Amino acid sequence: MKSVKLDDLPNAPSFLEAHLVAQATPPQEQESHAPPSGSLMGPLGPVPPLMTNKRLSFDDKLTIYTHQAFGPPALVFPALGAGLRMINPPNHYPHEWTDGAGAFGRLYGSALATQTSTRTAEFLAEAVLHDDPRYQPAAPGSNVGVRVFHAISYTFVDKTDSGHRTLAFSNFAGAAAGGFVGMSYLPNGFNDVTHAEQRTLTAFMGLGISNIFAEFAPQLAPIIHKLHLPQILPAWWVPEKPNHP
């Protein structure tokens, strides 16, 4: 099975980022900068909380989409992925995709195209099918095994706006869009259906990994805080504020 690379993974697991910023920000500062509505002010405007009982409107989903697809993390993380891909390119990749500034530009553009296609397909599916884009964690008190199973299963089955379980069509649509968009510009030998299917599978695996990070973010955040890593995540990077129902 193809290994998962950093640039193949969903960008910026926002649930974890939110906990990191919360750990790094004094309580009084969090309160002073919080919008009156209870949502966090992002670079493109107020963003609805990640986890509340509030049903998201179309505008709420659009706000989340614009931040995830076009906010600062959406520009920075693909650049990191492109750099890693240059260091460890796929076998038989042509020279113009592996060396020099032009190669970095191609890889960065490819990562942006994949990310934007994924986010756009997810958003359209969520809007049309009334899927809730927010990850909902396992029930309080669940053991580690149950939480991991819940996170992985949430990749396949999520919830509608009304709270009912449903097949995660948006996840399937996003993974497929991100996997097949490369057929229009990747070099020969990598723009075929087989490679597109492999990229789709890798993207779907990345969704499961992202859910696991989201599930254990409350436990990971204090550990990372002790390593002083939260300092690299300014508050305006965080697309949603993690409030439990």
Side-chain angles (χ1 to χ4, degrees), residues 161-196:
D161 291 336
S162 58
H164 297 96
R165 291 189 175 275
T166 184
L167 189 64
F169 290 104
S170 58
N171 288 345
F172 290 102
F180 279 84
V181 68
M183 293 182 65
S184 62
Y185 58 80
L186 288 175
N188 292 333
F190 296 88
N191 57 358
D192 53 83
V193 173
T194 299
H195 281 84

PDB file of all heavy atoms in Angstrom, residues 161-196:
ATOM      1  N   ASP A 161     -26.707  17.719   9.068  1.00  0.00           N
ATOM      2  CA  ASP A 161     -26.949  18.945   9.830  1.00  0.00           C
ATOM      3  C   ASP A 161     -27.930  18.714  10.969  1.00  0.00           C
ATOM      4  O   ASP A 161     -27.878  19.405  11.987  1.00  0.00           O
ATOM      5  CB  ASP A 161     -27.498  20.025   8.893  1.00  0.00           C
ATOM      6  CG  ASP A 161     -26.446  20.517   7.903  1.00  0.00           C
ATOM      7  OD1 ASP A 161     -25.246  20.389   8.213  1.00  0.00           O
ATOM      8  OD2 ASP A 161     -26.830  21.013   6.830  1.00  0.00           O
ATOM      9  N   SER A 162     -28.822  17.761  10.795  1.00  0.00           N
ATOM     10  CA  SER A 162     -29.818  17.475  11.828  1.00  0.00           C
ATOM     11  C   SER A 162     -29.313  16.491  12.882  1.00  0.00           C
ATOM     12  O   SER A 162     -30.036  16.152  13.818  1.00  0.00           O
ATOM     13  CB  SER A 162     -31.095  16.927  11.190  1.00  0.00           C
ATOM     14  OG  SER A 162     -30.823  15.755  10.441  1.00  0.00           O
ATOM     15  N   GLY A 163     -28.061  16.018  12.740  1.00  0.00           N
ATOM     16  CA  GLY A 163     -27.468  15.146  13.740  1.00  0.00           C
ATOM     17  C   GLY A 163     -27.613  13.667  13.479  1.00  0.00           C
ATOM     18  O   GLY A 163     -27.198  12.850  14.304  1.00  0.00           O
ATOM     19  N   HIS A 164     -28.190  13.277  12.342  1.00  0.00           N
ATOM     20  CA  HIS A 164     -28.346  11.864  12.016  1.00  0.00           C
ATOM     21  C   HIS A 164     -27.099  11.339  11.311  1.00  0.00           C
ATOM     22  O   HIS A 164     -26.436  12.056  10.565  1.00  0.00           O
ATOM     23  CB  HIS A 164     -29.574  11.653  11.127  1.00  0.00           C
ATOM     24  CG  HIS A 164     -30.873  12.024  11.786  1.00  0.00           C
ATOM     25  ND1 HIS A 164     -31.472  13.249  11.609  1.00  0.00           N
ATOM     26  CD2 HIS A 164     -31.661  11.339  12.643  1.00  0.00           C
ATOM     27  CE1 HIS A 164     -32.594  13.299  12.316  1.00  0.00           C
ATOM     28  NE2 HIS A 164     -32.727  12.154  12.955  1.00  0.00           N
ATOM     29  N   ARG A 165     -26.796  10.080  11.559  1.00  0.00           N
ATOM     30  CA  ARG A 165     -25.648   9.463  10.896  1.00  0.00           C
ATOM     31  C   ARG A 165     -25.944   9.234   9.421  1.00  0.00           C
ATOM     32  O   ARG A 165     -27.079   8.909   9.047  1.00  0.00           O
ATOM     33  CB  ARG A 165     -25.292   8.134  11.565  1.00  0.00           C
ATOM     34  CG  ARG A 165     -24.717   8.300  12.964  1.00  0.00           C
ATOM     35  CD  ARG A 165     -24.173   6.990  13.495  1.00  0.00           C
ATOM     36  NE  ARG A 165     -23.525   7.170  14.781  1.00  0.00           N
ATOM     37  CZ  ARG A 165     -22.255   7.552  14.941  1.00  0.00           C
ATOM     38  NH1 ARG A 165     -21.518   7.791  13.864  1.00  0.00           N
ATOM     39  NH2 ARG A 165     -21.741   7.686  16.133  1.00  0.00           N
ATOM     40  N   THR A 166     -24.916   9.413   8.598  1.00  0.00           N
ATOM     41  CA  THR A 166     -25.081   9.232   7.160  1.00  0.00           C
ATOM     42  C   THR A 166     -23.751   8.852   6.544  1.00  0.00           C
ATOM     43  O   THR A 166     -22.691   9.060   7.143  1.00  0.00           O
ATOM     44  CB  THR A 166     -25.598  10.534   6.501  1.00  0.00           C
ATOM     45  OG1 THR A 166     -25.847  10.303   5.110  1.00  0.00           O
ATOM     46  CG2 THR A 166     -24.573  11.647   6.624  1.00  0.00           C
ATOM     47  N   LEU A 167     -23.785   8.253   5.367  1.00  0.00           N
ATOM     48  CA  LEU A 167     -22.553   7.943   4.655  1.00  0.00           C
ATOM     49  C   LEU A 167     -21.819   9.250   4.352  1.00  0.00           C
ATOM     50  O   LEU A 167     -22.432  10.231   3.918  1.00  0.00           O
ATOM     51  CB  LEU A 167     -22.870   7.205   3.356  1.00  0.00           C
ATOM     52  CG  LEU A 167     -21.686   6.619   2.586  1.00  0.00           C
ATOM     53  CD1 LEU A 167     -20.996   5.534   3.389  1.00  0.00           C
ATOM     54  CD2 LEU A 167     -22.161   6.048   1.238  1.00  0.00           C
ATOM     55  N   ALA A 168     -20.529   9.280   4.601  1.00  0.00           N
ATOM     56  CA  ALA A 168     -19.734  10.509   4.459  1.00  0.00           C
ATOM     57  C   ALA A 168     -19.445  10.791   2.992  1.00  0.00           C
ATOM     58  O   ALA A 168     -18.301  10.687   2.530  1.00  0.00           O
ATOM     59  CB  ALA A 168     -18.447  10.400   5.263  1.00  0.00           C
ATOM     60  N   PHE A 169     -20.479  11.177   2.256  1.00  0.00           N
ATOM     61  CA  PHE A 169     -20.321  11.443   0.827  1.00  0.00           C
ATOM     62  C   PHE A 169     -19.298  12.548   0.574  1.00  0.00           C
ATOM     63  O   PHE A 169     -18.549  12.494  -0.405  1.00  0.00           O
ATOM     64  CB  PHE A 169     -21.665  11.841   0.216  1.00  0.00           C
ATOM     65  CG  PHE A 169     -22.660  10.718   0.121  1.00  0.00           C
ATOM     66  CD1 PHE A 169     -23.718  10.645   1.011  1.00  0.00           C
ATOM     67  CD2 PHE A 169     -22.531   9.732  -0.846  1.00  0.00           C
ATOM     68  CE1 PHE A 169     -24.641   9.613   0.936  1.00  0.00           C
ATOM     69  CE2 PHE A 169     -23.449   8.691  -0.928  1.00  0.00           C
ATOM     70  CZ  PHE A 169     -24.507   8.631  -0.038  1.00  0.00           C
ATOM     71  N   SER A 170     -19.268  13.539   1.446  1.00  0.00           N
ATOM     72  CA  SER A 170     -18.334  14.648   1.236  1.00  0.00           C
ATOM     73  C   SER A 170     -16.885  14.182   1.315  1.00  0.00           C
ATOM     74  O   SER A 170     -16.025  14.680   0.576  1.00  0.00           O
ATOM     75  CB  SER A 170     -18.596  15.749   2.267  1.00  0.00           C
ATOM     76  OG  SER A 170     -18.464  15.258   3.582  1.00  0.00           O
ATOM     77  N   ASN A 171     -16.587  13.235   2.201  1.00  0.00           N
ATOM     78  CA  ASN A 171     -15.228  12.707   2.295  1.00  0.00           C
ATOM     79  C   ASN A 171     -14.844  11.951   1.027  1.00  0.00           C
ATOM     80  O   ASN A 171     -13.729  12.094   0.509  1.00  0.00           O
ATOM     81  CB  ASN A 171     -15.101  11.790   3.503  1.00  0.00           C
ATOM     82  CG  ASN A 171     -15.110  12.546   4.816  1.00  0.00           C
ATOM     83  OD1 ASN A 171     -14.945  13.764   4.848  1.00  0.00           O
ATOM     84  ND2 ASN A 171     -15.312  11.837   5.912  1.00  0.00           N
ATOM     85  N   PHE A 172     -15.771  11.139   0.532  1.00  0.00           N
ATOM     86  CA  PHE A 172     -15.507  10.401  -0.698  1.00  0.00           C
ATOM     87  C   PHE A 172     -15.324  11.361  -1.870  1.00  0.00           C
ATOM     88  O   PHE A 172     -14.427  11.185  -2.700  1.00  0.00           O
ATOM     89  CB  PHE A 172     -16.646   9.421  -0.992  1.00  0.00           C
ATOM     90  CG  PHE A 172     -16.721   8.262  -0.042  1.00  0.00           C
ATOM     91  CD1 PHE A 172     -17.666   8.236   0.973  1.00  0.00           C
ATOM     92  CD2 PHE A 172     -15.838   7.192  -0.143  1.00  0.00           C
ATOM     93  CE1 PHE A 172     -17.744   7.168   1.864  1.00  0.00           C
ATOM     94  CE2 PHE A 172     -15.899   6.121   0.736  1.00  0.00           C
ATOM     95  CZ  PHE A 172     -16.857   6.111   1.746  1.00  0.00           C
ATOM     96  N   ALA A 173     -16.186  12.378  -1.945  1.00  0.00           N
ATOM     97  CA  ALA A 173     -16.099  13.340  -3.048  1.00  0.00           C
ATOM     98  C   ALA A 173     -14.792  14.113  -2.997  1.00  0.00           C
ATOM     99  O   ALA A 173     -14.133  14.319  -4.029  1.00  0.00           O
ATOM    100  CB  ALA A 173     -17.287  14.295  -2.991  1.00  0.00           C
ATOM    101  N   GLY A 174     -14.390  14.555  -1.795  1.00  0.00           N
ATOM    102  CA  GLY A 174     -13.152  15.305  -1.659  1.00  0.00           C
ATOM    103  C   GLY A 174     -11.927  14.483  -2.016  1.00  0.00           C
ATOM    104  O   GLY A 174     -11.035  14.950  -2.723  1.00  0.00           O
ATOM    105  N   ALA A 175     -11.879  13.247  -1.515  1.00  0.00           N
ATOM    106  CA  ALA A 175     -10.732  12.380  -1.811  1.00  0.00           C
ATOM    107  C   ALA A 175     -10.637  12.094  -3.304  1.00  0.00           C
ATOM    108  O   ALA A 175      -9.543  12.110  -3.891  1.00  0.00           O
ATOM    109  CB  ALA A 175     -10.841  11.079  -1.030  1.00  0.00           C
ATOM    110  N   ALA A 176     -11.781  11.852  -3.953  1.00  0.00           N
ATOM    111  CA  ALA A 176     -11.772  11.565  -5.384  1.00  0.00           C
ATOM    112  C   ALA A 176     -11.344  12.788  -6.187  1.00  0.00           C
ATOM    113  O   ALA A 176     -10.545  12.683  -7.131  1.00  0.00           O
ATOM    114  CB  ALA A 176     -13.156  11.102  -5.827  1.00  0.00           C
ATOM    115  N   ALA A 177     -11.848  13.958  -5.817  1.00  0.00           N
ATOM    116  CA  ALA A 177     -11.480  15.179  -6.533  1.00  0.00           C
ATOM    117  C   ALA A 177      -9.988  15.454  -6.407  1.00  0.00           C
ATOM    118  O   ALA A 177      -9.311  15.791  -7.385  1.00  0.00           O
ATOM    119  CB  ALA A 177     -12.289  16.357  -5.998  1.00  0.00           C
ATOM    120  N   GLY A 178      -9.466  15.317  -5.178  1.00  0.00           N
ATOM    121  CA  GLY A 178      -8.044  15.541  -4.981  1.00  0.00           C
ATOM    122  C   GLY A 178      -7.182  14.509  -5.673  1.00  0.00           C
ATOM    123  O   GLY A 178      -6.065  14.812  -6.102  1.00  0.00           O
ATOM    124  N   GLY A 179      -7.687  13.288  -5.794  1.00  0.00           N
ATOM    125  CA  GLY A 179      -6.908  12.236  -6.440  1.00  0.00           C
ATOM    126  C   GLY A 179      -6.893  12.339  -7.954  1.00  0.00           C
ATOM    127  O   GLY A 179      -5.866  12.085  -8.595  1.00  0.00           O
ATOM    128  N   PHE A 180      -8.002  12.741  -8.545  1.00  0.00           N
ATOM    129  CA  PHE A 180      -8.115  12.730 -10.000  1.00  0.00           C
ATOM    130  C   PHE A 180      -7.750  14.052 -10.665  1.00  0.00           C
ATOM    131  O   PHE A 180      -7.526  14.077 -11.876  1.00  0.00           O
ATOM    132  CB  PHE A 180      -9.538  12.326 -10.409  1.00  0.00           C
ATOM    133  CG  PHE A 180      -9.779  10.851 -10.377  1.00  0.00           C
ATOM    134  CD1 PHE A 180     -10.116  10.213  -9.189  1.00  0.00           C
ATOM    135  CD2 PHE A 180      -9.644  10.069 -11.520  1.00  0.00           C
ATOM    136  CE1 PHE A 180     -10.326   8.845  -9.138  1.00  0.00           C
ATOM    137  CE2 PHE A 180      -9.846   8.703 -11.483  1.00  0.00           C
ATOM    138  CZ  PHE A 180     -10.191   8.084 -10.287  1.00  0.00           C
ATOM    139  N   VAL A 181      -7.670  15.145  -9.905  1.00  0.00           N
ATOM    140  CA  VAL A 181      -7.350  16.418 -10.531  1.00  0.00           C
ATOM    141  C   VAL A 181      -5.961  16.394 -11.165  1.00  0.00           C
ATOM    142  O   VAL A 181      -5.704  17.065 -12.166  1.00  0.00           O
ATOM    143  CB  VAL A 181      -7.454  17.570  -9.499  1.00  0.00           C
ATOM    144  CG1 VAL A 181      -6.357  17.465  -8.439  1.00  0.00           C
ATOM    145  CG2 VAL A 181      -7.398  18.918 -10.193  1.00  0.00           C
ATOM    146  N   GLY A 182      -5.051  15.597 -10.607  1.00  0.00           N
ATOM    147  CA  GLY A 182      -3.694  15.530 -11.144  1.00  0.00           C
ATOM    148  C   GLY A 182      -3.601  14.949 -12.534  1.00  0.00           C
ATOM    149  O   GLY A 182      -2.573  15.110 -13.202  1.00  0.00           O
ATOM    150  N   MET A 183      -4.643  14.282 -12.996  1.00  0.00           N
ATOM    151  CA  MET A 183      -4.619  13.722 -14.346  1.00  0.00           C
ATOM    152  C   MET A 183      -4.521  14.808 -15.405  1.00  0.00           C
ATOM    153  O   MET A 183      -4.136  14.538 -16.549  1.00  0.00           O
ATOM    154  CB  MET A 183      -5.885  12.883 -14.586  1.00  0.00           C
ATOM    155  CG  MET A 183      -5.961  11.623 -13.748  1.00  0.00           C
ATOM    156  SD  MET A 183      -7.442  10.630 -14.087  1.00  0.00           S
ATOM    157  CE  MET A 183      -7.133  10.143 -15.802  1.00  0.00           C
ATOM    158  N   SER A 184      -4.837  16.048 -15.038  1.00  0.00           N
ATOM    159  CA  SER A 184      -4.825  17.135 -16.019  1.00  0.00           C
ATOM    160  C   SER A 184      -3.470  17.821 -16.160  1.00  0.00           C
ATOM    161  O   SER A 184      -3.264  18.570 -17.118  1.00  0.00           O
ATOM    162  CB  SER A 184      -5.880  18.183 -15.638  1.00  0.00           C
ATOM    163  OG  SER A 184      -5.584  18.762 -14.374  1.00  0.00           O
ATOM    164  N   TYR A 185      -2.520  17.554 -15.237  1.00  0.00           N
ATOM    165  CA  TYR A 185      -1.266  18.295 -15.322  1.00  0.00           C
ATOM    166  C   TYR A 185      -0.029  17.500 -14.890  1.00  0.00           C
ATOM    167  O   TYR A 185       1.097  17.924 -15.169  1.00  0.00           O
ATOM    168  CB  TYR A 185      -1.345  19.566 -14.456  1.00  0.00           C
ATOM    169  CG  TYR A 185      -1.652  19.307 -13.009  1.00  0.00           C
ATOM    170  CD1 TYR A 185      -0.662  18.897 -12.121  1.00  0.00           C
ATOM    171  CD2 TYR A 185      -2.934  19.483 -12.507  1.00  0.00           C
ATOM    172  CE1 TYR A 185      -0.940  18.650 -10.791  1.00  0.00           C
ATOM    173  CE2 TYR A 185      -3.222  19.247 -11.179  1.00  0.00           C
ATOM    174  CZ  TYR A 185      -2.231  18.836 -10.331  1.00  0.00           C
ATOM    175  OH  TYR A 185      -2.516  18.590  -9.014  1.00  0.00           O
ATOM    176  N   LEU A 186      -0.168  16.379 -14.211  1.00  0.00           N
ATOM    177  CA  LEU A 186       1.005  15.616 -13.777  1.00  0.00           C
ATOM    178  C   LEU A 186       1.731  15.008 -14.974  1.00  0.00           C
ATOM    179  O   LEU A 186       1.134  14.804 -16.034  1.00  0.00           O
ATOM    180  CB  LEU A 186       0.579  14.521 -12.795  1.00  0.00           C
ATOM    181  CG  LEU A 186       0.167  14.999 -11.398  1.00  0.00           C
ATOM    182  CD1 LEU A 186      -0.343  13.842 -10.559  1.00  0.00           C
ATOM    183  CD2 LEU A 186       1.326  15.700 -10.698  1.00  0.00           C
ATOM    184  N   PRO A 187       3.023  14.709 -14.821  1.00  0.00           N
ATOM    185  CA  PRO A 187       3.792  14.170 -15.953  1.00  0.00           C
ATOM    186  C   PRO A 187       3.298  12.798 -16.382  1.00  0.00           C
ATOM    187  O   PRO A 187       2.611  12.094 -15.626  1.00  0.00           O
ATOM    188  CB  PRO A 187       5.221  14.102 -15.398  1.00  0.00           C
ATOM    189  CG  PRO A 187       5.068  14.055 -13.910  1.00  0.00           C
ATOM    190  CD  PRO A 187       3.850  14.871 -13.607  1.00  0.00           C
ATOM    191  N   ASN A 188       3.636  12.441 -17.625  1.00  0.00           N
ATOM    192  CA  ASN A 188       3.250  11.136 -18.153  1.00  0.00           C
ATOM    193  C   ASN A 188       3.754  10.021 -17.237  1.00  0.00           C
ATOM    194  O   ASN A 188       4.867  10.073 -16.724  1.00  0.00           O
ATOM    195  CB  ASN A 188       3.821  10.940 -19.556  1.00  0.00           C
ATOM    196  CG  ASN A 188       3.169  11.867 -20.564  1.00  0.00           C
ATOM    197  OD1 ASN A 188       2.023  12.268 -20.385  1.00  0.00           O
ATOM    198  ND2 ASN A 188       3.895  12.210 -21.628  1.00  0.00           N
ATOM    199  N   GLY A 189       2.900   9.017 -17.063  1.00  0.00           N
ATOM    200  CA  GLY A 189       3.217   7.924 -16.162  1.00  0.00           C
ATOM    201  C   GLY A 189       2.614   8.118 -14.788  1.00  0.00           C
ATOM    202  O   GLY A 189       2.558   7.163 -13.996  1.00  0.00           O
ATOM    203  N   PHE A 190       2.174   9.351 -14.494  1.00  0.00           N
ATOM    204  CA  PHE A 190       1.552   9.644 -13.209  1.00  0.00           C
ATOM    205  C   PHE A 190       0.171  10.289 -13.378  1.00  0.00           C
ATOM    206  O   PHE A 190      -0.471  10.635 -12.402  1.00  0.00           O
ATOM    207  CB  PHE A 190       2.444  10.581 -12.386  1.00  0.00           C
ATOM    208  CG  PHE A 190       3.765   9.969 -12.011  1.00  0.00           C
ATOM    209  CD1 PHE A 190       4.858  10.072 -12.857  1.00  0.00           C
ATOM    210  CD2 PHE A 190       3.912   9.278 -10.824  1.00  0.00           C
ATOM    211  CE1 PHE A 190       6.075   9.497 -12.519  1.00  0.00           C
ATOM    212  CE2 PHE A 190       5.125   8.694 -10.477  1.00  0.00           C
ATOM    213  CZ  PHE A 190       6.211   8.801 -11.333  1.00  0.00           C
ATOM    214  N   ASN A 191      -0.249  10.448 -14.617  1.00  0.00           N
ATOM    215  CA  ASN A 191      -1.540  11.082 -14.902  1.00  0.00           C
ATOM    216  C   ASN A 191      -2.578  10.081 -15.404  1.00  0.00           C
ATOM    217  O   ASN A 191      -3.511  10.438 -16.108  1.00  0.00           O
ATOM    218  CB  ASN A 191      -1.370  12.209 -15.927  1.00  0.00           C
ATOM    219  CG  ASN A 191      -0.736  11.720 -17.227  1.00  0.00           C
ATOM    220  OD1 ASN A 191      -0.399  10.540 -17.349  1.00  0.00           O
ATOM    221  ND2 ASN A 191      -0.587  12.614 -18.189  1.00  0.00           N
ATOM    222  N   ASP A 192      -2.390   8.809 -15.028  1.00  0.00           N
ATOM    223  CA  ASP A 192      -3.316   7.771 -15.453  1.00  0.00           C
ATOM    224  C   ASP A 192      -4.304   7.451 -14.334  1.00  0.00           C
ATOM    225  O   ASP A 192      -4.159   7.915 -13.205  1.00  0.00           O
ATOM    226  CB  ASP A 192      -2.545   6.509 -15.850  1.00  0.00           C
ATOM    227  CG  ASP A 192      -1.599   6.045 -14.750  1.00  0.00           C
ATOM    228  OD1 ASP A 192      -2.053   5.343 -13.816  1.00  0.00           O
ATOM    229  OD2 ASP A 192      -0.402   6.426 -14.801  1.00  0.00           O
ATOM    230  N   VAL A 193      -5.298   6.628 -14.658  1.00  0.00           N
ATOM    231  CA  VAL A 193      -6.355   6.304 -13.702  1.00  0.00           C
ATOM    232  C   VAL A 193      -5.806   5.546 -12.504  1.00  0.00           C
ATOM    233  O   VAL A 193      -6.230   5.781 -11.356  1.00  0.00           O
ATOM    234  CB  VAL A 193      -7.465   5.489 -14.390  1.00  0.00           C
ATOM    235  CG1 VAL A 193      -8.495   5.000 -13.370  1.00  0.00           C
ATOM    236  CG2 VAL A 193      -8.149   6.317 -15.464  1.00  0.00           C
ATOM    237  N   THR A 194      -4.848   4.652 -12.741  1.00  0.00           N
ATOM    238  CA  THR A 194      -4.296   3.861 -11.638  1.00  0.00           C
ATOM    239  C   THR A 194      -3.663   4.756 -10.579  1.00  0.00           C
ATOM    240  O   THR A 194      -3.916   4.596  -9.372  1.00  0.00           O
ATOM    241  CB  THR A 194      -3.259   2.860 -12.154  1.00  0.00           C
ATOM    242  OG1 THR A 194      -3.889   1.960 -13.069  1.00  0.00           O
ATOM    243  CG2 THR A 194      -2.647   2.068 -11.007  1.00  0.00           C
ATOM    244  N   HIS A 195      -2.839   5.711 -11.019  1.00  0.00           N
ATOM    245  CA  HIS A 195      -2.213   6.621 -10.056  1.00  0.00           C
ATOM    246  C   HIS A 195      -3.252   7.534  -9.405  1.00  0.00           C
ATOM    247  O   HIS A 195      -3.118   7.880  -8.219  1.00  0.00           O
ATOM    248  CB  HIS A 195      -1.134   7.455 -10.746  1.00  0.00           C
ATOM    249  CG  HIS A 195       0.149   6.737 -10.946  1.00  0.00           C
ATOM    250  ND1 HIS A 195       0.377   5.903 -12.006  1.00  0.00           N
ATOM    251  CD2 HIS A 195       1.295   6.707 -10.194  1.00  0.00           C
ATOM    252  CE1 HIS A 195       1.602   5.389 -11.934  1.00  0.00           C
ATOM    253  NE2 HIS A 195       2.170   5.852 -10.831  1.00  0.00           N
ATOM    254  N   ALA A 196      -4.273   7.924 -10.148  1.00  0.00           N
ATOM    255  CA  ALA A 196      -5.331   8.755  -9.566  1.00  0.00           C
ATOM    256  C   ALA A 196      -6.056   8.000  -8.461  1.00  0.00           C
ATOM    257  O   ALA A 196      -6.382   8.570  -7.409  1.00  0.00           O
ATOM    258  CB  ALA A 196      -6.310   9.183 -10.649  1.00  0.00           C
TER     259      ALA A 196
END
